[in-house]
Amino acid sequence: QVNRLQKELFEINNDMIPCFREAGDYVSDYLERESSGKSIRLFHQQPLIWEHMKELFQKMGRLQAKGFKKWVGIDSITVGVKNAVLCIIYFYLGILALKGVLTVGDVFLYAGSLAIFTNSFSLWVSMLTRLAGNTKYLKEYFDFLDIPNKKYEGVLPVEKRDDDRYEL
């Protein structure tokens, strides 16, 4: 279940990359140039740009909401398991306390210790889940780094000059 949710979240993030790229191109490459201001005013591009940016940000908002739901789904699984384990443990401690095996102080000691342990264990599982999800992103990154370098690298020596004036 968690792997499926992480795969869907990875796909949502990949769908968002072109949106971020397009929004960045509009803002940094076109709208921030001084020369663009003249074209925008002269050709009345404000409504066109406004509509396009509004549609783009709405699409990004929908994708982010979809991704947030996936994260909530992943976290709810770990929280649900943690709470189920805590309920079973508290129930067992209550039965032992009612039978007189444990004192009230023992119940509080064990309950507190187990709560801390389950919270730490839950955090550990959550980190492992996120780490497993991030391996997909690392694979993309390492695939990019493994692209062969097509740049020519020569081995011509540079002649030593006394006047330190070199030319290319």
Side-chain angles (χ1 to χ4, degrees), residues 86-150:
L86 275 176
C87 286
I88 292 169
I89 291 171
Y90 288 151
F91 182 73
Y92 181 70
L93 287 175
I95 288 175
L96 290 178
L98 288 175
K99 287 186 176 183
V101 177
L102 296 176
T103 65
V104 174
D106 290 339
V107 170
F108 281 111
L109 174 71
Y110 293 136
S113 299
L114 289 169
I116 291 171
F117 173 75
T118 54
N119 281 336
S120 299
F121 187 74
S122 173
L123 182 63
W124 181 71
V125 169
S126 177
M127 291 295 176
L128 283 179
T129 304
R130 290 183 182 177
L131 197 63
N134 285 339
T135 58
K136 292 176 182 69
Y137 298 101
L138 279 174
K139 183 185 178 325
E140 297 281 328
Y141 180 69
F142 286 129
D143 287 347
F144 174 75
L145 289 178
D146 288 338
I147 294 173
N149 186 3
K150 294 182 181 178

Side-chain angles (χ1 to χ4, degrees), residues 9-27 52-53 55-57 59-61 63 137:
L9 186 62
F10 180 75
E11 291 168 5
I12 290 169
N13 286 338
N14 276 343
D15 291 342
M16 286 184 69
I17 290 171
C19 296
F20 284 128
R21 194 171 291 139
E22 186 175 347
D25 287 345
Y26 260 117
V27 173
H52 186 73
M53 291 300 281
E55 289 172 12
L56 187 63
F57 286 125
K59 180 180 178 183
M60 289 168 60
L63 288 170
Y137 298 101

Side-chain angles (χ1 to χ4, degrees), residues 69-95:
K69 287 179 185 176
K70 300 300 177 194
W71 268 119
V72 167
I74 291 170
D75 285 343
S76 66
I77 291 171
T78 57
V79 169
V81 169
K82 179 187 86 167
N83 288 338
V85 168
L86 275 176
C87 286
I88 292 169
I89 291 171
Y90 288 151
F91 182 73
Y92 181 70
L93 287 175
I95 288 175

